[in-house]
Amino acid sequence: MLSPHEIIIRQIETANRLDGGDRDALRGLPLRLRTISGNRDIFREGHRPTECCAILSGVGCRYKIVGGGRRQIVSFHFPGDMPDSQSLFLEKMDHNLGTITPAKVALIPHAAIIAVMDQRRSLATVFARQGQIEGSIFREWVANIGRRSALARVAHLICECFERMHTIGLADNATFELPITHAELGDATGLSNVHINRTMRTLRGDNLVKTVGKVHTICDWTRLRELADYRPDYLHLLGKDIET
Amino acid sequence: MLSPHEIIIRQIETANRLDGGDRDALRGLPLRLRTISGNRDIFREGHRPTECCAILSGVGCRYKIVGGGRRQIVSFHFPGDMPDSQSLFLEKMDHNLGTITPAKVALIPHAAIIAVMDQRRSLATVFARQGQIEGSIFREWVANIGRRSALARVAHLICECFERMHTIGLADNATFELPITHAELGDATGLSNVHINRTMRTLRGDNLVKTVGKVHTICDWTRLRELADYRPDYLHLLGKDIET
DNA sequence: CGACAATTTGATCTGTCTCAACTATGGTGG
DNA sequence: CCACCATAGTTGAGACAGATCAAATTGTCG
């Protein structure tokens, strides 16, 4: 089991090259650890956090509530992610940050992160890059929700979650645990929970994904990618492609 | 008519406080001016630009092509916007940047921007903030496309475009020129051009927006905002609200 | 074991798409 | 200055993807 700092560093290194000094500086960040139950808010829209939150275990998400009370999840977050680095530069939360599953998180004072960016130009660049990658993922979600069929849309989300979990070592080969309910997948893809169910069934019927409880196995990565129109460039990962 | 540098500064100041030194530093940026006709690409997916592009006049957009050739526009850009500041940190374009209308643009070498950020901590923060605001707008678009009806969705986009143009002085009271075709609005909202037409007709019928050619007039800002579920916090503007 | 949450399935409804035709509109060359 | 052409907007009819509603089944956790 990695330490909190190493979980954060591992995630950053999926998309950034760090040198020893960078890692040491990150290890110096003060962390306040907290355990949060599932389906709870960490920061709410309108709040003005003074700390950033890093996910250490479990799954988090960011979401908005639109008029009429419908929910749109705009991102999922896995261990190592810092979902609200934006609060470093934008005082007021324009969305909610919450947990999907029970989670351990680390709270890091803004001041400490600003200090580390001031001391090390390279880390300022790293944080900027992380922010840009986040933006890139949002763009892909816009395209996914706006222009893909329900089937491709859900498949695409599964591809993305699988690849992101894979790169941080949370997938065993083609098998990974994705503890996200159909209702939540619906809120992320702009579909109804019922239709998520039918779509997952189709993926199962086509022998693309096998699901047992929360554990999914990709049966045919090549065909799934193709169906999903999944081209992972937008994640801007450094590492190797996933073996087919 | 403002100079290119002042157009860029004006846009930045809608969301950031600059001091005299910041403005002077920005005025020192070397600009290569170009005129581009409408409906043309500036940077394509896969390219590795070495310059950032700022829009000086006209309307630009960023878009993705999904499998099957359908297009999703992920953002519109008005004078002063720097649509691809992301290329400072992500080598490879994951989307296309193009013009909607004929446009004048300024190309700014990455090196010059990096230099100005290195010299002035405050400007590094400004660029980081600009990037975060961009991300915030993407999140709102995800929610808009994912969870709002066609009518609210189109109304929301109109509200956003109006407010953004208003803050940079491109709206005369409640009247502004939005030279975007129905097909393009459809590509931005995930709807068909035909349905955009019907939706605009409804907005007209309800006396919310009047349209003559490319010139739109907001007839009832309060009701339009309400219908659109438009709460502009996500733009993180500094200025005053629009008068109703 | 009981209770609550999540999944599954069926039936029906509807918002939006697609296809197709027709009508402005604006720009261009003769 | 007009005729022409391409582009954009408009309208109608019909089809369909996905929503909604309702109920049954399964899973999970105290």
Side-chain angles (χ1 to χ4, degrees):
Chain A
M1 194 53 197
L2 293 181
S3 76
H5 285 105
E6 300 307 324
I7 290 172
I8 294 168
I9 290 170
R10 175 183 63 182
Q11 147 58 22
I12 292 175
E13 287 196 299
T14 63
N16 297 267
R17 294 185 201 291
L18 299 180
D19 65 25
D22 294 332
R23 277 189 287 266
D24 286 343
L26 290 170
R27 287 187 189 109
L29 286 173
L31 307 182
R32 225 156 51 82
L33 302 183
R34 290 194 52 195
T35 302
I36 305 181
S37 54
N39 210 19
R40 292 276 292 273
D41 287 336
I42 302 173
F43 294 129
R44 288 227 183 78
E45 188 168 341
H47 281 199
R48 298 167 181 274
T50 58
E51 295 169 301
C52 281
C53 170
I55 308 286
L56 300 176
S57 72
V59 178
C61 75
R62 291 192 279 176
Y63 66 93
K64 293 194 152 208
I65 305 293
V66 306
R70 307 182 72 188
R71 176 166 87 149
Q72 176 69 46
I73 291 176
V74 298
S75 61
F76 287 118
H77 294 286
F78 305 117
D81 285 356
M82 285 191 31
D84 66 335
S85 57
Q86 63 126 35
S87 67
L88 288 167
F89 302 102
L90 302 178
E91 319 73 43
K92 206 160 123 194
M93 294 286 289
D94 52 60
H95 60 274
N96 305 280
L97 170 60
T99 56
I100 298 278
T101 67
K104 289 191 172 54
V105 306
L107 297 172
I108 315 169
H110 285 175
I113 299 176
I114 300 281
V116 96
M117 289 197 297
D118 279 354
Q119 284 155 31
R120 305 205 119 237
R121 181 72 19 111
S122 57
L123 284 180
T125 303
V126 163
F127 279 98
R129 185 177 157 96
Q130 293 283 91
Q132 292 296 343
I133 290 172
E134 200 176 71
S136 174
I137 296 175
F138 290 139
R139 285 192 289 274
E140 186 65 32
W141 279 45
V142 169
N144 198 37
I145 297 173
R147 283 301 188 216
R148 290 198 187 102
S149 70
L151 186 60
R153 208 185 297 181
V154 173
H156 193 281
L157 179 59
I158 290 172
C159 286
E160 177 183 312
C161 288
F162 173 60
E163 180 135 26
R164 286 173 57 197
M165 296 190 80
H166 191 271
T167 58
I168 54 172
L170 290 188
D172 174 21
N173 253 329
T175 298
F176 67 117
E177 192 188 338
L178 193 67
I180 303 179
T181 67
H182 288 181
E184 289 157 348
L185 290 173
D187 284 344
T189 51
L191 298 166
S192 70
N193 58 345
V194 173
H195 204 64
I196 293 287
N197 185 299
R198 297 192 162 118
T199 304
M200 295 296 289
R201 160 192 265 295
T202 302
L203 292 176
R204 231 178 296 143
D206 290 354
N207 259 307
L208 295 168
V209 179
K210 208 170 2 178
T211 302
V212 181
K214 299 161 176 176
V215 176
H216 302 259
T217 302
I218 312 285
C219 304
D220 191 332
W221 179 234
T222 307
R223 274 177 53 231
L224 183 65
R225 282 177 65 146
E226 195 165 352
L227 170 68
D229 181 32
Y230 178 71
R231 283 159 290 130
D233 286 9
Y234 73 96
L235 293 174
H236 296 275
L237 298 170
L238 292 177
K240 296 274 174 297
D241 287 349
I242 289 173
E243 313 274 323
T244 64
Chain B
M1 194 51 195
L2 293 181
S3 76
H5 284 106
E6 300 308 324
I7 290 172
I8 294 168
I9 289 171
R10 176 182 62 182
Q11 146 59 22
I12 292 175
E13 288 196 298
T14 63
N16 297 266
R17 295 188 201 291
L18 299 180
D19 65 25
D22 294 332
R23 278 189 287 266
D24 285 343
L26 290 170
R27 288 189 188 108
L29 287 173
L31 307 182
R32 228 158 45 85
L33 303 183
R34 291 193 51 196
T35 300
I36 305 181
S37 54
N39 210 18
R40 292 275 292 274
D41 287 336
I42 301 173
F43 294 128
R44 287 228 182 77
E45 189 169 340
H47 280 200
R48 297 167 181 275
T50 57
E51 295 169 301
C52 282
C53 170
I55 308 286
L56 300 177
S57 72
V59 178
C61 75
R62 292 192 280 177
Y63 66 93
K64 293 194 152 210
I65 304 293
V66 307
R70 308 182 73 189
R71 175 165 88 148
Q72 176 68 46
I73 291 176
V74 297
S75 62
F76 288 117
H77 294 286
F78 305 116
D81 286 355
M82 286 192 32
D84 66 336
S85 56
Q86 62 127 35
S87 67
L88 288 167
F89 301 102
L90 303 176
E91 318 73 42
K92 207 159 121 193
M93 294 286 288
D94 52 61
H95 60 273
N96 306 279
L97 171 60
T99 56
I100 298 277
T101 66
K104 288 193 171 53
V105 305
L107 297 172
I108 315 168
H110 285 175
I113 298 176
I114 300 282
V116 97
M117 289 196 297
D118 280 354
Q119 285 156 30
R120 305 204 121 236
R121 181 73 20 110
S122 56
L123 284 180
T125 303
V126 162
F127 279 98
R129 185 177 158 96
Q130 293 282 91
Q132 292 295 345
I133 291 173
E134 201 176 70
S136 173
I137 297 175
F138 290 140
R139 284 192 290 274
E140 186 65 34
W141 279 46
V142 169
N144 199 36
I145 297 172
R147 284 299 187 218
R148 289 199 187 102
S149 70
L151 186 60
R153 207 185 297 180
V154 172
H156 193 281
L157 179 59
I158 289 172
C159 286
E160 178 183 313
C161 288
F162 172 60
E163 180 135 25
R164 286 172 58 198
M165 296 190 80
H166 191 271
T167 59
I168 55 172
L170 290 188
D172 173 22
N173 252 329
T175 298
F176 66 119
E177 192 187 338
L178 193 67
I180 303 179
T181 67
H182 288 181
E184 289 156 348
L185 290 172
D187 285 344
T189 50
L191 298 166
S192 69
N193 58 346
V194 173
H195 204 64
I196 292 287
N197 185 301
R198 297 192 162 119
T199 303
M200 295 294 289
R201 160 193 266 293
T202 302
L203 292 176
R204 232 178 296 142
D206 290 355
N207 259 308
L208 295 168
V209 179
K210 208 169 3 178
T211 302
V212 181
K214 300 161 176 174
V215 177
H216 303 259
T217 302
I218 312 286
C219 304
D220 191 331
W221 180 233
T222 306
R223 274 177 54 231
L224 183 65
R225 282 177 66 146
E226 196 166 352
L227 169 68
D229 181 34
Y230 177 72
R231 284 159 289 131
D233 286 10
Y234 72 96
L235 293 174
H236 296 275
L237 297 171
L238 294 177
K240 295 275 174 297
D241 288 348
I242 289 173
E243 312 275 322
T244 63

